[in-house]
Amino acid sequence: SLRVHLQQAQRPRMAAMEVDAEAGTLQLYQRDVNCLSDDDRTTRRRALTRLAASVSTLASDEAAGMQTLAALWEQSLRAPLLKLLADPVEKNRELALALTAAVLEALPQPVIRASLAHVAPAAAARLSSSAAAEPTEELRLELLRLLGTLARRAGTPLSVYLPEIAAALRAGFADPFPDAKKAACSLCVQLSDVLAEHIEPHCAMLARALLPALAHQHSRVRTAAVEALVALLLREPSALAELGPQLALLATDRASSVREQAVGSVARLLAEMPHREANTARLLPHLLCALSDEVESIRSLAHTSLARLGGATDVAAQRVQPLAALAPDLMAAADAATFDGAPPEAADARGEEAARVAAAAAAAAAPPFPPELAETTFAAAPPAGAAGLVACELHRLLPPALKELSDWTAKARIRAADTLAGTLWLVGPAATDHLGPLLAALSKTVEDSDEGVARQVRRCAQLVGRSCDLAVYVPLVLDQLRAPSGAALVGSAATAGCGGNSAGGGADFLRGGGHSRMRPAAVTVLEGAETDAGAIGRRAGWLSLLGELLAGATAEQLRPHLSALLATVARPVFCVPGRASDDDAGASFAATQLRLCSFLGQLISSAGAACASGDNGLLLYSALMRVASVPSSAQHGFASQRRAIECLSAMAAAVDGGSAEALHAVFLPPLLAQITAGETYKSWKVDSAEWHLFQALCRQAGGATCARVLLLLLPPLAAVLSPKEEPTLRLTALSLLDSLLSAEGFLAAPEWAEMGEHVLAAMLLPNAVWRAGKPAEHVRLASYSCVQKLLSADAISGEQLGAHMGGALPLLVAGLDDDNVESRRIACVILATALRRLGPSRVSHEQMRQLYPELTKRLDDASDGVRVAACVPLVAMLEQVRYSASWSEAHNFDRTNFGYFVNGLLVHLDDPDPEIQAAVAEVLERAAPIDPPEFCSLVRAVRGRHRSSKLCDALLENAGGHTGGTLV
């Protein structure tokens, strides 16, 4: 038609008019565009400012304005504007960068893609490490954001320029400006999503470049770096082996936000990463470690992630078996040992078997849980799927965790302990395969110097004890406790095998075959002293570990193992030095003794009467008394001894609420019979452990209990009191005998009627013989003290005493002249007691002549106390006088000796000390009735020479009563 024809004829003309209009519009901005290349910095800045306003106006018009902006960009603005990104003036660079970003945000995608060849290299060049790099940190941040805009708007075509952008990213990761680091990490994540199919060749290099950012001091930088790392690993996981340690540090980062990000990222990697089966063992530890995090949200996230992963894993998809079918599976897992050098296929097969065992155990797990696990994630049954997943990887997870558990830094050890706790909680009885190296590693750190490590290792031990059979691990630990220096579990030195031959033994236990198969592989006993300080120190760790393993065991579970447990710790050299040790060794022994007491206290609490009666009771009693007998020093104190006595009380209470005295009455006789069998006491020395035990038994048992075993006590005492023995040994023996003689009920034994004189003659009097030296002086004093108590208790009759008085009197008289004041005083008391016990008929004339000069000589002693004490035997002597004016065999005192005796006393009647005067006056009053006339004549002879005649007059008046008249 005519109208159509006219329209077609007008189209070229209208197009020409539009082009002319667009050219006219562009001409409006050309002056400003030209000014961008002006030499004057101010001119360039003003042009940039005006162009920014114009671009904002054009961008607001989505139709004509956008078309004009695209034409302006392509035809005239792009080249000079990008050139200004390197302007020498910072303000101009800032304005140019802002204008470029605004234009790229407004331009349509085809125009942006057409401009990539210009924009991407220019921006990347300003971020590189070359001389053209942007010096201002804020502008570097904006350049990274500009590249982010390009990635978002351009899409896949940007992949052509990935090498340049990757170089810019590496520079951004190393940028000192934290915000630039975060922007680079965000750009990395963005590129991983937009260019997923093209970024893979650059991932490994970019991941390595992220390492500084992963360790940055700002938590937000570390969080952004973790996100970028995960984005890269999801595309190319080859760098995971190299970056695994850094990821482990982030999983235990000091900032909870970083830890939470790391846990979520690890869970994402495990769920989405290609070939994740090859990297599961590297990533699972981070989730397992997070189960012990101090922040509840992180623990919950780790738990949820593990449960989700377990549910999605084929290994955990096995049907859960009932509890009754658990034992056969456990035996199969024990037989499936991961031997060193086993092919990967075999290890994986055993891992799948262990996964089924762990999943079944997790489904069957029920309270109660050990007390150390209270209020933790581990105080509940683990998810069955996650248990199967972790158990399948157990042979790969354990070696690095056990190796890191001995790291020199506490942070690494706590990370390893947290990982191990989560692992053991999930795998349950599947850990039986690896008990050898596992227990060896735990024993070394259960007493770690860092409390956090020690607490978590204790939890690990309790998890093992709850999940594994006592019949498997108790013999393993006991072998170590019995082993001398140098013994070790196979696999503890190199945990890479992680299982060794222990699993075969575990299966033997479960079948009732004992531990005959396990011992040759599990323990290697080397020659060495059992009391080596190193071996004793290791026993402390094994004891603590055993206590934690048995923390949740019931009395019924413990009953079959009590005999072996107690027999091991009751050995004489278990933690008691056979001889005196130096300070370092003493510290090791003291620490092990404390651990032993804690373990035995726990055993008493758990097993009750089962370990406190019968043969088990004797073993327990022996172990506790050996610890209680250890001599201590100022450096180590008496903590272990006190703890052992407390355990004895608890042991007594466990047996029908009895007392410690009743416990001693039951177990003292058989234990004494053991340590005195074969007359081994003849070789005891002052530092012999058996001698210390003998002393502790006698002192703790009480007098009445010791009286019932008197015939067992006396032979060892007689042996150590031989004068041939060293003075220190005899002194300790006399001290022990002194305490026994003072104990209530000890001298009530009927055997004393026969044994008393033998104790006096064979044990005490030989030690009263004078010998040179201070040690011998203390021995004499201790001997006199025992003689005094023995005679005071009527343990020896007058007739028995008289039979030995011929040898005893010279020793007692010599004691009156001893250098030690206390010895002289006690000798006076002994003589008084002995004279009264003998009676007049058994005191001879010769003995009286030997006694009274020595006793009167003591009235001149340097000690007033001895002078007063000497008057007591003088009175006792006078009580035994059979007097005759002239000598005869039927009498023991005559007038001549009487005169010498009285004259010797009258000298001291005028003593300056009133106490001495009174004591001497009492003796003279007892002497007056023997021969009153002679006595009065002797008193009158000295009366005038005394400073005061008052006492002489009193004596004369008293003597007059005996003559029947008044003496003037």
Side-chain angles (χ1 to χ4, degrees), residues 219 235 260 368 402 502 664 796 880 894 934:
S219 62
R235 306 305 170 210
E260 189 166 4
L402 297 184
S502 63
H664 290 299
I796 302 177
Q880 318 311 320
D894 56 25
E934 180 67 16

Side-chain angles (χ1 to χ4, degrees), residues 519-782:
R519 183 173 298 183
V523 177
T524 303
V525 179
L526 305 180
E527 295 295 330
E530 286 237 18
T531 55
D532 174 71
I536 297 300
R538 283 189 290 275
R539 281 179 192 156
W542 283 102
L543 273 173
S544 297
L545 176 61
L546 182 57
E548 299 302 332
L549 288 169
L550 299 177
T554 63
E556 290 302 318
Q557 291 173 321
L558 289 171
R559 195 181 302 276
H561 308 285
L562 286 176
S563 296
L565 286 168
L566 293 171
T568 299
V569 300
R571 291 181 303 135
V573 293
F574 181 75
C575 63
V576 176
R579 289 286 185 267
S581 55
D582 56 30
D583 287 343
D584 291 339
S588 296
F589 279 107
T592 307
Q593 290 154 16
L594 277 173
R595 305 297 182 277
L596 176 59
C597 290
S598 298
F599 170 70
L600 293 178
Q602 175 187 330
L603 209 59
I604 294 169
S605 176
S606 300
C611 69
S613 56
D615 293 340
N616 291 338
L618 178 59
L619 292 170
L620 179 57
Y621 178 79
S622 173
L624 290 172
M625 286 307 302
R626 286 187 185 279
V627 175
S629 70
V630 177
S632 190
S633 62
Q635 290 86 350
H636 306 131
F638 290 89
S640 58
Q641 291 86 336
R642 286 193 294 269
R643 185 75 179 94
I645 299 303
E646 292 172 3
C647 289
L648 278 173
S649 301
M651 178 183 174
V655 186
D656 301 327
S659 62
E661 289 76 9
L663 201 67
H664 290 299
V666 174
F667 296 116
L668 177 65
L671 184 53
L672 273 179
Q674 285 181 15
I675 65 175
T676 58
E679 297 185 346
T680 55
Y681 49 78
K682 291 184 178 179
S683 61
W684 286 354
K685 299 300 179 185
V686 68
D687 56 354
S688 298
E690 299 297 310
W691 168 233
H692 293 315
L693 176 59
F694 182 85
Q695 294 180 76
L697 290 171
C698 295
R699 292 180 186 277
Q700 293 294 329
T705 302
C706 290
R708 289 195 283 270
V709 291
L710 182 63
L711 297 182
L712 287 174
L713 294 177
L714 293 181
L717 284 173
V720 297
L721 283 172
S722 170
K724 298 178 182 179
E725 299 294 343
E726 56 183 319
T728 309
L729 176 61
R730 288 183 284 133
L731 185 60
T732 56
L734 288 168
S735 174
L736 173 62
L737 183 57
D738 185 272
S739 67
L740 287 174
L741 292 171
S742 303
E744 183 179 356
F746 181 67
L747 290 169
E751 291 86 355
W752 278 110
E754 180 182 351
M755 301 303 299
E757 60 176 318
H758 299 297
V759 171
L760 176 67
M763 297 164 61
L764 299 180
L765 292 180
N767 285 287
V769 176
W770 188 91
R771 294 178 179 85
K774 278 290 183 183
E777 177 183 318
H778 294 306
V779 170
R780 291 194 300 276
L781 173 60

Side-chain angles (χ1 to χ4, degrees), residues 276-528:
R276 62 178 177 274
E277 295 80 6
N279 294 292
T280 300
R282 290 193 180 98
L283 295 173
L284 268 179
H286 309 320
L287 288 182
L288 297 172
C289 179
L291 290 172
S292 301
D293 197 276
E294 60 185 13
V295 179
E296 171 62 30
S297 60
I298 299 177
R299 295 197 302 269
S300 177
L301 175 61
H303 187 281
T304 305
S305 301
L306 282 168
R308 187 181 301 113
L309 288 169
T313 304
D314 292 337
V315 173
Q318 307 292 334
R319 184 170 56 186
V320 176
Q321 303 177 17
L323 184 59
L326 181 58
D329 280 345
L330 184 53
M331 288 189 290
D335 281 332
T338 54
F339 296 97
D340 291 342
E345 296 79 6
D348 290 340
R350 296 183 187 114
E352 293 179 7
E353 184 68 21
R356 287 192 289 272
V357 173
F369 293 89
E372 191 79 23
L373 304 179
E375 299 181 2
T376 68
T377 305
F378 313 127
L389 171 64
V390 176
C392 189
E393 298 290 336
L394 185 59
H395 60 288
R396 298 186 183 96
L397 292 172
L398 272 183
L402 297 184
K403 181 180 179 181
E404 193 176 26
L405 199 59
S406 60
D407 193 89
W408 69 277
T409 61
K411 185 176 182 179
R413 295 198 304 276
I414 188 63
R415 181 172 62 243
D418 288 345
T419 303
L420 201 56
T423 303
L424 294 172
W425 174 61
L426 286 163
V427 301
T432 305
D433 297 358
H434 312 275
L435 279 182
L438 179 59
L439 294 180
L442 293 179
S443 71
K444 295 175 183 177
T445 48
V446 71
E447 295 292 338
D448 196 273
S449 57
D450 186 272
E451 177 56 31
V453 177
R455 180 175 60 252
Q456 198 69 340
V457 170
R458 290 195 297 269
R459 290 173 179 169
C460 291
Q462 291 185 6
L463 287 167
V464 172
R466 185 179 187 275
S467 303
C468 300
D469 198 320
L470 273 72
V472 179
Y473 63 75
V474 167
L476 278 175
V477 178
L478 292 186
D479 279 337
Q480 287 299 306
L481 291 176
R482 297 188 193 103
S485 177
L489 279 174
V490 168
S492 62
T495 57
C498 210
N501 294 333
S502 63
D508 248 2
F509 275 115
L510 295 171
R511 297 187 183 106
H515 60 286
S516 59
R517 285 177 56 192
M518 185 175 294
R519 183 173 298 183
V523 177
T524 303
V525 179
L526 305 180
E527 295 295 330

